[in-house]
Amino acid sequence: MSTSALKSALNFFKQLEKNNNRDWFNENKPEFKAIETEIKKIYNSVLENLNKHDDIDKLKLFRIYRDVRFSKNKLPYKTHFGGSFHRTKPKLRGGYYLHIQPNNESFIATGFWEPAKADLQRIRKEFEMDDSEIRKIIGNKSFKSIWGYFVGDEVKTAPRGFDKEHKAIDLIKKKQYIFVKKYTDKAVLDANFLDDINTSFKAIRPYFDYMSDVLTTDLNGVSLIEK
Protein backbone atom coordinates (compact mmCIF):
# COMPACT_ATOMS: atom_id res chain seq x y z
CA MET A 1 0.00 0.00 0.00
CA SER A 2 1.23 3.48 -0.82
CA THR A 3 1.18 5.42 2.43
CA SER A 4 2.80 8.29 0.52
CA ALA A 5 -0.35 8.67 -1.60
CA LEU A 6 -2.53 8.79 1.51
CA LYS A 7 -0.18 11.29 3.15
CA SER A 8 -0.28 13.46 0.03
CA ALA A 9 -4.09 13.26 -0.01
CA LEU A 10 -4.40 14.32 3.62
CA ASN A 11 -1.96 17.19 3.12
CA PHE A 12 -3.70 18.36 -0.05
CA PHE A 13 -7.10 18.44 1.63
CA LYS A 14 -5.69 20.39 4.57
CA GLN A 15 -4.56 23.05 2.11
CA LEU A 16 -7.88 22.90 0.25
CA GLU A 17 -9.77 23.50 3.50
CA LYS A 18 -7.99 26.86 3.75
CA ASN A 19 -8.29 27.68 0.03
CA ASN A 20 -11.62 26.25 -1.06
CA ASN A 21 -12.04 28.33 -4.19
CA ARG A 22 -11.78 27.74 -7.92
CA ASP A 23 -8.67 29.84 -8.50
CA TRP A 24 -6.58 27.93 -5.97
CA PHE A 25 -7.93 24.55 -7.06
CA ASN A 26 -7.35 25.19 -10.76
CA GLU A 27 -3.79 26.25 -10.00
CA ASN A 28 -3.21 23.05 -8.03
CA LYS A 29 -5.36 20.73 -10.12
CA PRO A 30 -2.39 18.83 -11.66
CA GLU A 31 -1.28 17.87 -8.15
CA PHE A 32 -4.80 16.76 -7.26
CA LYS A 33 -5.16 14.64 -10.40
CA ALA A 34 -1.86 12.89 -9.65
CA ILE A 35 -3.00 12.16 -6.09
CA GLU A 36 -6.40 11.00 -7.32
CA THR A 37 -4.77 8.50 -9.67
CA GLU A 38 -2.86 6.93 -6.78
CA ILE A 39 -5.88 6.98 -4.47
CA LYS A 40 -7.91 5.12 -7.10
CA LYS A 41 -5.33 2.33 -6.87
CA ILE A 42 -5.96 2.14 -3.13
CA TYR A 43 -9.71 1.91 -3.61
CA ASN A 44 -9.16 -0.81 -6.21
CA SER A 45 -7.01 -2.69 -3.71
CA VAL A 46 -9.89 -2.55 -1.24
CA LEU A 47 -12.18 -3.83 -4.00
CA GLU A 48 -9.80 -6.68 -4.79
CA ASN A 49 -9.65 -7.67 -1.12
CA LEU A 50 -13.44 -7.51 -0.79
CA ASN A 51 -13.95 -9.79 -3.77
CA LYS A 52 -11.87 -12.47 -2.07
CA HIS A 53 -14.66 -12.97 0.47
CA ASP A 54 -17.67 -11.19 -1.03
CA ASP A 55 -19.20 -10.38 -4.42
CA ILE A 56 -18.90 -6.71 -5.35
CA ASP A 57 -20.33 -5.60 -8.68
CA LYS A 58 -19.36 -1.93 -8.60
CA LEU A 59 -16.90 0.53 -7.11
CA LYS A 60 -17.92 4.18 -7.26
CA LEU A 61 -15.34 6.83 -6.41
CA PHE A 62 -17.13 10.12 -5.88
CA ARG A 63 -16.02 13.32 -7.61
CA ILE A 64 -14.46 16.19 -5.69
CA TYR A 65 -16.96 18.73 -6.99
CA ARG A 66 -19.78 19.58 -4.58
CA ASP A 67 -23.37 20.03 -5.76
CA VAL A 68 -24.10 23.43 -4.25
CA ARG A 69 -27.43 24.08 -5.97
CA PHE A 70 -29.58 23.32 -2.94
CA SER A 71 -26.99 23.79 -0.20
CA LYS A 72 -26.33 26.74 2.07
CA ASN A 73 -22.66 25.72 1.97
CA LYS A 74 -21.42 27.14 -1.34
CA LEU A 75 -17.83 25.92 -1.08
CA PRO A 76 -17.15 24.29 -4.46
CA TYR A 77 -14.99 21.33 -3.44
CA LYS A 78 -15.16 18.39 -1.06
CA THR A 79 -12.20 18.03 1.27
CA HIS A 80 -12.19 14.24 1.27
CA PHE A 81 -12.17 11.17 -0.94
CA GLY A 82 -15.22 8.92 -0.74
CA GLY A 83 -15.94 5.66 -2.46
CA SER A 84 -18.67 3.02 -2.21
CA PHE A 85 -18.60 -0.69 -2.96
CA HIS A 86 -21.92 -2.27 -4.01
CA ARG A 87 -22.68 -5.92 -3.33
CA THR A 88 -24.19 -7.84 -6.23
CA LYS A 89 -27.99 -7.70 -6.24
CA PRO A 90 -30.58 -9.08 -6.02
CA LYS A 91 -29.25 -11.86 -3.80
CA LEU A 92 -26.75 -9.80 -1.82
CA ARG A 93 -27.74 -6.61 -0.02
CA GLY A 94 -25.84 -3.85 1.75
CA GLY A 95 -22.75 -1.90 0.86
CA TYR A 96 -19.34 -0.70 2.01
CA TYR A 97 -17.91 2.82 2.08
CA LEU A 98 -14.39 4.24 2.56
CA HIS A 99 -13.91 7.92 3.48
CA ILE A 100 -10.46 9.55 3.57
CA GLN A 101 -10.31 12.98 5.21
CA PRO A 102 -7.69 14.81 7.30
CA ASN A 103 -7.98 15.93 10.93
CA ASN A 104 -8.94 12.42 12.08
CA GLU A 105 -12.18 12.43 10.07
CA SER A 106 -11.53 9.26 8.03
CA PHE A 107 -13.88 6.31 8.47
CA ILE A 108 -15.33 3.20 6.94
CA ALA A 109 -19.04 2.41 6.98
CA THR A 110 -21.25 -0.53 6.17
CA GLY A 111 -24.94 -1.27 6.05
CA PHE A 112 -28.03 0.38 4.64
CA TRP A 113 -27.84 4.17 4.14
CA GLU A 114 -31.17 4.88 2.46
CA PRO A 115 -33.27 1.71 2.36
CA ALA A 116 -36.07 1.75 -0.20
CA LYS A 117 -39.47 2.21 1.44
CA ALA A 118 -40.41 -1.45 0.89
CA ASP A 119 -37.07 -2.67 2.25
CA LEU A 120 -37.33 -0.48 5.34
CA GLN A 121 -40.82 -1.79 6.03
CA ARG A 122 -39.66 -5.39 5.56
CA ILE A 123 -36.77 -4.91 7.99
CA ARG A 124 -39.02 -3.33 10.58
CA LYS A 125 -41.63 -6.09 10.28
CA GLU A 126 -38.89 -8.69 10.73
CA PHE A 127 -37.70 -7.04 13.93
CA GLU A 128 -41.28 -6.72 15.11
CA MET A 129 -41.79 -10.45 14.58
CA ASP A 130 -38.45 -11.62 15.99
CA ASP A 131 -35.50 -9.51 17.12
CA SER A 132 -33.49 -12.33 18.69
CA GLU A 133 -31.27 -13.13 15.70
CA ILE A 134 -30.26 -9.56 14.90
CA ARG A 135 -29.48 -8.89 18.58
CA LYS A 136 -27.32 -12.01 18.73
CA ILE A 137 -25.34 -10.87 15.68
CA ILE A 138 -24.76 -7.25 16.67
CA GLY A 139 -24.27 -8.20 20.32
CA ASN A 140 -21.39 -10.56 19.55
CA LYS A 141 -18.34 -9.44 21.51
CA SER A 142 -15.96 -9.58 18.54
CA PHE A 143 -18.45 -7.77 16.30
CA LYS A 144 -19.04 -5.00 18.83
CA SER A 145 -15.31 -4.48 19.39
CA ILE A 146 -14.96 -3.53 15.70
CA TRP A 147 -18.27 -1.92 14.80
CA GLY A 148 -19.94 -0.79 18.01
CA TYR A 149 -23.66 -0.17 17.50
CA PHE A 150 -25.95 1.24 14.82
CA VAL A 151 -25.65 4.90 13.89
CA GLY A 152 -28.03 6.91 11.71
CA ASP A 153 -31.39 8.63 11.75
CA GLU A 154 -34.53 7.37 13.46
CA VAL A 155 -38.09 8.47 14.10
CA LYS A 156 -38.86 10.03 17.48
CA THR A 157 -41.30 7.43 18.84
CA ALA A 158 -42.53 4.75 16.44
CA PRO A 159 -43.17 4.43 12.69
CA ARG A 160 -46.80 4.44 11.62
CA GLY A 161 -48.41 1.07 12.32
CA PHE A 162 -45.92 0.01 15.00
CA ASP A 163 -46.40 -0.07 18.77
CA LYS A 164 -44.11 2.43 20.51
CA GLU A 165 -44.04 0.06 23.50
CA HIS A 166 -42.81 -2.92 21.44
CA LYS A 167 -39.73 -4.57 22.95
CA ALA A 168 -37.81 -4.06 19.69
CA ILE A 169 -38.85 -0.43 19.19
CA ASP A 170 -35.19 0.67 19.53
CA LEU A 171 -34.52 -1.23 16.30
CA ILE A 172 -37.85 -0.62 14.58
CA LYS A 173 -37.71 3.17 14.83
CA LYS A 174 -34.45 3.43 12.92
CA LYS A 175 -34.51 4.81 9.39
CA GLN A 176 -30.95 3.68 8.62
CA TYR A 177 -29.03 0.59 9.66
CA ILE A 178 -25.40 1.70 9.47
CA PHE A 179 -22.18 0.86 11.27
CA VAL A 180 -19.20 3.23 11.26
CA LYS A 181 -15.56 2.76 12.27
CA LYS A 182 -13.41 5.88 12.55
CA TYR A 183 -9.69 6.30 11.89
CA THR A 184 -7.17 8.87 13.04
CA ASP A 185 -4.73 10.32 10.52
CA LYS A 186 -2.03 8.22 12.17
CA ALA A 187 -4.07 5.05 11.60
CA VAL A 188 -4.68 5.96 7.95
CA LEU A 189 -0.93 6.26 7.42
CA ASP A 190 -0.18 2.98 9.20
CA ALA A 191 1.19 0.22 6.97
CA ASN A 192 -1.66 -2.07 8.10
CA PHE A 193 -4.46 0.36 7.15
CA LEU A 194 -5.81 -1.68 4.21
CA ASP A 195 -5.52 -4.94 6.16
CA ASP A 196 -7.51 -3.41 9.02
CA ILE A 197 -10.19 -2.22 6.59
CA ASN A 198 -10.47 -5.69 5.08
CA THR A 199 -10.58 -7.41 8.48
CA SER A 200 -13.33 -5.01 9.59
CA PHE A 201 -15.33 -5.52 6.40
CA LYS A 202 -15.07 -9.30 6.79
CA ALA A 203 -16.42 -9.02 10.33
CA ILE A 204 -19.65 -7.41 9.08
CA ARG A 205 -20.54 -10.49 7.04
CA PRO A 206 -22.90 -12.21 9.54
CA TYR A 207 -24.96 -9.01 9.59
CA PHE A 208 -25.04 -8.80 5.79
CA ASP A 209 -25.92 -12.48 5.44
CA TYR A 210 -28.84 -12.05 7.83
CA MET A 211 -30.13 -8.83 6.27
CA SER A 212 -29.78 -10.23 2.75
CA ASP A 213 -31.89 -13.22 3.79
CA VAL A 214 -34.52 -10.90 5.28
CA LEU A 215 -34.68 -8.68 2.20
CA THR A 216 -34.92 -11.53 -0.29
CA THR A 217 -37.78 -13.35 1.46
CA ASP A 218 -41.28 -12.49 2.63
CA LEU A 219 -42.42 -12.77 6.24
CA ASN A 220 -43.15 -16.46 5.69
CA GLY A 221 -39.61 -17.11 4.54
CA VAL A 222 -40.55 -17.60 0.90
CA SER A 223 -37.95 -16.38 -1.58
CA LEU A 224 -38.77 -13.22 -3.51
CA ILE A 225 -36.05 -13.73 -6.12
CA GLU A 226 -36.31 -17.42 -7.00
CA LYS A 227 -39.10 -18.40 -9.32
Side-chain angles (χ1 to χ4, degrees):
M1 185 194 80
S2 176
T3 55
S4 62
L6 289 164
K7 186 174 183 179
S8 295
L10 295 179
N11 288 337
F12 183 87
F13 285 133
K14 285 179 181 179
Q15 295 178 66
L16 181 57
E17 286 174 351
K18 300 173 183 177
N19 303 278
N20 201 328
N21 61 77
R22 289 178 175 82
D23 288 341
W24 185 91
F25 184 79
N26 287 334
E27 184 179 337
N28 292 273
K29 191 172 182 178
E31 179 185 356
F32 170 75
K33 297 304 290 186
I35 293 170
E36 185 182 47
T37 296
E38 295 304 309
I39 291 296
K40 283 180 179 178
K41 295 177 182 178
I42 291 173
Y43 275 84
N44 277 305
S45 292
V46 174
L47 173 63
E48 185 178 335
N49 286 335
L50 275 171
N51 271 323
K52 291 177 181 177
H53 54 84
D54 205 341
D55 189 355
I56 308 300
D57 67 357
K58 184 171 65 173
L59 158 62
K60 181 178 182 181
L61 188 62
F62 299 102
R63 302 177 72 206
I64 193 170
Y65 306 100
R66 296 185 63 251
D67 183 354
V68 299
R69 292 173 299 171
F70 308 107
S71 174
K72 291 181 180 179
N73 181 355
K74 298 301 181 181
L75 294 176
Y77 305 105
K78 300 171 186 174
T79 54
H80 65 265
F81 282 114
S84 60
F85 307 83
H86 299 259
R87 304 180 82 217
T88 303
K89 289 185 177 181
K91 187 176 182 180
L92 304 179
R93 297 298 182 88
Y96 306 88
Y97 177 79
L98 168 59
H99 185 99
I100 298 171
Q101 183 173 352
N103 306 314
N104 306 313
E105 295 291 338
S106 298
F107 64 89
I108 56 174
T110 57
F112 301 82
W113 284 262
E114 295 179 343
K117 186 176 180 180
D119 284 350
L120 182 58
Q121 180 71 4
R122 175 68 183 87
I123 292 168
R124 287 169 167 169
K125 294 299 289 185
E126 183 71 23
F127 295 162
E128 180 185 50
M129 186 170 63
D130 181 10
D131 63 333
S132 61
E133 191 168 352
I134 184 62
R135 292 196 190 279
K136 181 179 180 181
I137 292 169
I138 65 176
N140 176 272
K141 186 176 181 180
S142 177
F143 185 99
K144 286 176 67 176
S145 70
I146 295 173
W147 289 109
Y149 189 66
F150 286 123
V151 299
D153 298 335
E154 56 184 43
V155 300
K156 288 185 178 180
T157 54
R160 182 177 297 177
F162 291 88
D163 180 3
K164 66 180 182 180
E165 302 298 329
H166 192 280
K167 66 184 181 69
I169 195 60
D170 59 314
L171 298 171
I172 293 169
K173 70 180 183 178
K174 295 189 177 301
K175 295 193 283 186
Q176 300 170 306
Y177 294 92
I178 310 165
F179 292 97
V180 172
K181 179 178 180 179
K182 298 181 179 181
Y183 289 91
T184 63
D185 291 357
K186 182 179 179 181
V188 170
L189 299 178
D190 190 279
N192 294 317
F193 180 50
L194 290 193
D195 288 338
D196 190 83
I197 289 174
N198 193 51
T199 298
S200 301
F201 281 163
K202 285 179 74 173
I204 205 71
R205 190 59 179 273
Y207 170 66
F208 274 172
D209 288 348
Y210 168 75
M211 293 291 269
S212 293
D213 184 59
V214 168
L215 291 171
T216 57
T217 59
D218 63 21
L219 286 169
N220 293 316
V222 177
S223 175
L224 300 172
I225 59 176
E226 295 177 5
K227 295 182 179 180

